[in-house]
Amino acid sequence: MGTAMSPTKVLVLNGPNLGRLGRRQPEIYGHATHADLAEHVVGTGTGLGLEVEVRQTDSEGEMIGWLHEAADQNIPVVLNPAAWTHYSIAVADAVAQVNFVVEVHISNVHSREGFRRHSVISPYVTGVIAGLGFGGYDLALTHVAASVEVPEAR
Ligand code: DQA
């Protein structure tokens, strides 16, 4: 997926209400903002030789468009589908078209309300990380970096 000249591009896509990080239920999601998350994740990516672009939307259609972009350009995705995780077949159908997706949840969805335990997205992803805060994104990117082809190493 990458070349010696250009680092592998990765899209980190965050769904609804994640733009409210820092103000939204800080006892669950912490005090850091989405801008803090983006800065953190881009830094992690740089350290791994990845070119990370972080996007957030509250619009399902916009998210689906980004997933189509990832599918068409074969870009690996780290996805926090937020509430869409639990009910959006449209987002799930878009995820199913993408070659490499790691699903990330900041909170431990298995220790919360029952409806958060089920993901309609998970059947179509490579792996799932939940409950490790922003560190989950770091682990997802580490996995992407370890999984993508590195042509210059051949
Ligand atoms: C979340 C968990 C979801 O249940 C919730 O709807 C979110 C965020 C998380 O990152 O922990 O918005 O995906």
Side-chain angles (χ1 to χ4, degrees), residues 14-15 17 46 54 121 129 143:
N14 289 318
N17 296 299
T46 302
V54 184
I121 308 296
I129 300 169
H143 182 68

Side-chain angles (χ1 to χ4, degrees), residues 62-97:
E62 187 167 36
M63 176 61 81
I64 289 167
W66 292 343
L67 290 165
H68 292 169
E69 181 185 331
D72 290 346
Q73 296 178 38
N74 200 22
I75 302 170
V77 171
V78 174
L79 174 67
N80 185 340
W84 292 324
T85 306
H86 313 298
Y87 70 88
S88 177
I89 306 302
V91 172
D93 284 349
V95 168
Q97 300 170 51

Side-chain angles (χ1 to χ4, degrees), residues 28-88:
I28 294 173
Y29 299 107
H31 291 277
T33 65
H34 188 269
D36 296 332
L37 171 62
E39 194 184 333
H40 174 83
V41 162
V42 168
T44 299
T46 302
L48 291 165
L50 303 172
E51 181 194 326
V52 174
E53 188 179 331
V54 184
R55 303 180 190 170
Q56 189 277 326
T57 184
D58 295 334
S59 155
E60 199 173 10
E62 187 167 36
M63 176 61 81
I64 289 167
W66 292 343
L67 290 165
H68 292 169
E69 181 185 331
D72 290 346
Q73 296 178 38
N74 200 22
I75 302 170
V77 171
V78 174
L79 174 67
N80 185 340
W84 292 324
T85 306
H86 313 298
Y87 70 88
S88 177

Side-chain angles (χ1 to χ4, degrees), residues 15-18 21 24 28-29 80-86 104-109 112-113 115-116 130-131 137:
N17 296 299
L18 291 170
L21 284 173
R24 169 196 189 196
I28 294 173
Y29 299 107
N80 185 340
W84 292 324
T85 306
H86 313 298
V104 171
H105 301 283
I106 295 167
S107 67
N108 180 356
V109 285
R112 300 179 62 193
E113 302 96 319
F115 68 84
R116 293 187 202 277
Y137 291 84

